[in-house]
Amino acid sequence: MSEISHVMEPVIPGRYAVVTVGGATDGTRIHAARFADGPTRWPGDGEVATVGNVEAWSVAQRKGDCLTVDVPGGDHAVMALATDPGAPLDGAFTANRPRIDWAYPSPAQPGAPLRLIGRGFVQVDHYPTTDPTSPVSYGGMVEGVTRIVARRVGQSAFIELTVRESSAYDAHLTLPADFAEGSYELFAHNGRGGAAGWSEPLPLTVEARAPWPTKSYDADAYIREAGGVDDGLAAALAAIESAGGGVLQLSARGYTIHRTIVMPPRTVLRGVGRDRTLIHLLARNGPRPPYVAITGDRDLAADDLRIEATHAPVLICAPRFEPTTFDEALHVEDHVKARASYVAVRRCRLQQFILGGAMRRRDREQLDRLYALLRHGPQHIEGYQGIVIRGDHIEVEDNIVYGGGSCVALNRATQARVAGNVLKAGASGQAMQCYSHLDWPDNPTPGNTGAKIEGSYTRDIIVEHNDCSANCTTTRNLVNFMRGGENIHLAGNHIHDIPTTTDGEAMLTHLWFARWAEPTAARTRWPSMSWAW
C-alpha cells in the first residue's frame, strides 16, 4: 500500500508540488481536498473540520518515491492529501498547516523572549509576488496572523500567548512574567483550515533561571593593589567567584596580559566599548603564552571590549582551555572534551595578527611555519580561531571578528545564536563553522561505509544577519556546517567575496558522508479531530 510520508511545503495553488510516497508506482496518483477556513477555539476540542471536493492532481514526473504534481489553481488552503480517493481522510497527509520544529531558547524562561522555528506560521499569500522573476521572500515579519497556544502537560486548559510578529518560518513572542514553570505543549495556527489547521504539539519546558549577580568590581582598583595586570585581574576574579558571580568592569585603557583570563561561573567581563577597552597579548618574538585570552566553563560573558593577539591561536574558548604550548592551542579540537553552557560574546572586536611584526621578528622558523599555514593550512577545525565554543546555550552577537584563520567555531553545539556579527575570515579559515562528531563503524561492510550520527552533533542553531567575507586571499570557506546537523536556521546573512584562489564555498553543508544510525519515519495526527465532507 502506498502512503504519503512527506510533502515539500508550502503547497501553492497553480504551482508544482513535490510529494514523497512510500511504495509509489507509475499508477500512483495524488488526491486532495481543501479544508474550509473558519474560526477555531483550541486544538482537538471537538470542532468539525470541513473539506471541499476531492481533486485529482496530475503527476508531471516520478523519480522513485518522489512525485512532482501539478497543483490546480484556487485559494491558498490547508489541504488533505492522499493516494486513494476512497480512503478515509484519517489516513491523509495534512499540508500547509503550521509546523513547529523547535524553540529558542529551550528551556524557555518566564518573562523572556521565546522564538518558535518551523514553517507555515504565515500562509504564503501574505507575500504576494507581482513579478515572477523577482519572487518575494516568505521571511518578512507580519503581525496579527499567527496564533500560539500552550497547554500544561496533564491539564486540559489552554493559554493564549501573545505573538509579537511572525513570518512563514518563525514566530516571536514573550512569555508572561508570571508564567508557571513546568512542562507544556505548544500549538500554532495560521488562520487557515479551521479545526484542521492546528500544528502538531511541540513539547517545551519552562524553567526560571536565577539571575546572575550584578555587583560591579573595579578591575583597575585590584590592579593597583596587586601591582600588575595579571595578578590584579586574578584577584578580582577570585573575589567575584567567592561572591557567587558579578561584573568585572574594565575601563577605557589597554590591558596587556601574560596569563589567560579564567572566568568563574556567573561572571561578566565588561569593557566600555570595543574601541575604548583593549586586552592585548604580547606580540614579541614567539610563540609565547598566553595562547588563549579568555576561557571558562559556564555562565560567562565578554562584553564591549577589544582583544588583539599574535601568538594566541584562540582568543575566547569555552569550556576551560589553558594550553601550555602553541601546538596544543593550535589543535584545540584534540584537547577540549568537556562541554560549556551559557556563554555569551557581545559587542566585542577580536583580531588575530597572525604575522604581527613579521618585518622585525627573529623567530624565522615560526614565521616560516605561519607562512605555510597562510598558504594551505588545514584550519577547518584547528589552527587560528577567534571564538571556539563546545557546549550549549551560546550567544555570539554584534561582534567584529578578524580571524587569523576562522572567526567563530561551534563544536557540537546546541541552542546557539550567532547574529549581527561582521566576520572576516583569515588564512585557510572560515567565517563561521559548526562541526559535529561522527563515529565510524569498527568493521564496515559493503554498503555500510558511512558514519553514524548518534547525538553528538550540531543542533538548534540560529545564524542570522551576519556579514561574512574573506580577509585573506587564501580564506577557505565562509559559512560551513560539517559532519551533520539538525534544526539549522540561516536567514538574512550577507555572505560575499569568497576568494577565487582557493577551492572554497561561500556556504556549504558537508553531510555527504553521514547517515542516521536507525532511520525512522512517523506521522501523527489528532485522534479527537473529526473531518466532514
Side-chain angles (χ1 to χ4, degrees):
M1 177 181 176
S2 61
E3 184 174 357
I4 297 173
S5 60
H6 179 77
V7 176
M8 188 177 294
E9 299 174 87
V11 176
I12 303 175
R15 305 278 188 88
Y16 287 111
V18 179
V19 181
T20 302
V21 180
T25 67
D26 288 339
T28 300
R29 293 293 179 266
I30 302 299
H31 303 272
R34 308 188 189 205
F35 287 99
D37 298 334
T40 181
R41 294 185 296 273
W42 313 110
D45 67 352
E47 294 177 310
V48 175
T50 59
V51 293
N53 296 327
V54 174
E55 305 169 352
W57 291 357
S58 300
V59 177
Q61 182 185 66
R62 173 181 166 244
K63 295 287 187 180
D65 287 348
C66 185
L67 277 64
T68 301
V69 295
D70 191 358
V71 182
D75 295 332
H76 291 264
V78 175
M79 303 178 179
L81 308 182
T83 57
D84 181 356
L89 282 178
D90 287 354
F93 186 104
T94 305
N96 289 350
R97 62 176 174 173
R99 192 181 85 187
I100 314 176
D101 291 327
W102 53 290
Y104 182 90
S106 181
Q109 297 181 57
L114 176 65
R115 188 167 175 180
L116 304 180
I117 301 172
R119 65 185 62 184
F121 293 105
V122 177
Q123 277 281 19
V124 297
D125 57 342
H126 287 273
Y127 306 98
T129 293
T130 57
D131 180 3
T133 64
S134 182
V136 175
S137 167
Y138 303 153
M141 291 294 172
V142 299
E143 299 178 3
V145 174
T146 308
R147 284 184 66 194
I148 303 293
V149 300
R151 180 176 63 185
R152 191 160 187 170
V153 173
Q155 298 183 4
S156 58
F158 284 91
I159 305 168
E160 186 90 32
L161 301 177
T162 300
V163 179
R164 299 195 310 273
E165 58 182 5
S166 57
S167 74
Y169 306 111
D170 57 350
H172 297 252
L173 52 153
T174 299
L175 291 182
D178 58 354
F179 202 84
E181 296 182 80
S183 298
Y184 290 83
E185 293 179 321
L186 301 187
F187 305 81
H189 199 286
N190 62 21
R192 295 294 173 80
W198 287 103
S199 70
E200 300 288 349
L202 175 78
L204 181 72
T205 299
V206 177
E207 180 181 287
R209 300 191 73 238
W212 294 6
T214 58
K215 181 180 177 180
S216 181
Y217 295 74
D218 183 359
D220 290 352
Y222 283 89
I223 290 170
R224 286 193 296 271
E225 183 176 350
V229 170
D230 295 292
D231 290 339
L233 294 179
L237 291 169
I240 291 174
E241 185 173 20
S242 297
V247 178
L248 180 53
Q249 183 64 59
L250 306 178
S251 61
R253 53 163 286 192
Y255 299 83
T256 299
I257 62 172
H258 304 80
R259 298 198 299 266
T260 298
I261 298 173
V262 180
M263 302 273 286
R266 296 156 64 86
T267 299
V268 179
L269 180 63
R270 179 171 294 153
V272 294
R274 59 187 170 214
D275 294 321
R276 302 183 65 202
T277 300
L278 169 65
I279 294 176
H280 180 248
L281 286 68
L282 284 177
R284 295 174 184 169
N285 295 342
R288 61 175 61 237
Y291 301 113
V292 174
I294 298 171
T295 193
D297 285 324
R298 61 180 176 86
D299 297 338
L300 61 100
D303 294 350
D304 302 299
L305 51 85
R306 184 183 192 126
I307 306 175
E308 293 182 354
T310 294
H311 305 304
V314 179
L315 296 183
I316 298 177
C317 184
R320 186 167 175 171
F321 182 49
E322 297 178 84
T324 57
T325 68
F326 179 83
D327 281 343
E328 186 181 354
L330 207 63
H331 298 86
V332 58
E333 161 74 2
D334 295 337
H335 302 282
V336 175
K337 303 300 183 185
R339 295 186 70 81
S341 61
Y342 293 100
V343 178
V345 183
R346 299 171 293 223
R347 303 176 301 279
C348 292
R349 183 184 180 102
L350 311 180
Q351 290 189 263
Q352 292 172 299
F353 300 102
I354 190 171
L355 293 177
M359 72 291 293
R360 298 184 180 93
R361 288 165 57 176
R362 297 186 179 92
D363 53 341
R364 299 310 312 176
E365 183 177 345
Q366 173 69 2
L367 282 172
D368 289 343
R369 183 180 183 186
L370 294 178
Y371 281 121
L373 203 63
L374 281 166
R375 291 191 299 270
H376 51 73
Q379 296 209 62
H380 58 289
I381 56 173
E382 57 185 18
Y384 276 77
Q385 303 178 88
I387 300 171
V388 179
I389 303 176
R390 173 177 176 172
D392 316 294
H393 304 287
I394 300 160
E395 180 183 335
V396 180
E397 186 173 3
D398 295 332
N399 302 285
I400 300 172
V401 184
Y402 284 79
S406 296
C407 298
V408 178
L410 301 184
N411 178 356
R412 285 161 265 192
T414 70
Q415 285 283 308
R417 181 171 180 260
V418 180
N421 303 284
V422 176
L423 305 178
K424 298 284 190 178
S428 303
Q430 306 177 72
M432 163 75 189
Q433 58 174 336
C434 295
Y435 47 95
S436 302
H437 174 77
L438 303 182
D439 295 317
W440 294 85
D442 293 332
N443 300 301
T445 58
N448 184 30
T449 56
K452 294 182 179 180
I453 303 177
E454 295 182 319
S456 186
Y457 54 91
T458 300
R459 64 178 299 153
D460 298 354
I461 309 295
I462 298 173
V463 181
E464 60 186 1
H465 309 307
N466 301 285
D467 187 289
C468 303
S469 63
N471 193 42
C472 180
T473 57
T474 62
T475 295
R476 188 68 171 88
N477 305 303
L478 292 182
V479 177
N480 182 11
F481 287 84
M482 285 285 292
R483 303 176 182 170
E486 186 177 9
N487 293 343
I488 312 297
H489 180 80
L490 293 98
N493 300 285
H494 185 199
I495 304 172
H496 60 102
D497 292 336
I498 184 75
T500 58
T501 51
T502 61
D503 176 26
E505 288 84 18
M507 186 175 74
L508 73 153
T509 55
H510 270 193
L511 311 180
W512 48 268
F513 49 89
R515 66 175 177 82
W516 295 106
E518 295 180 1
T520 58
R523 189 176 80 246
T524 59
R525 63 172 303 275
W526 281 106
S528 59
M529 186 193 302
S530 59
W531 295 350
W533 294 91

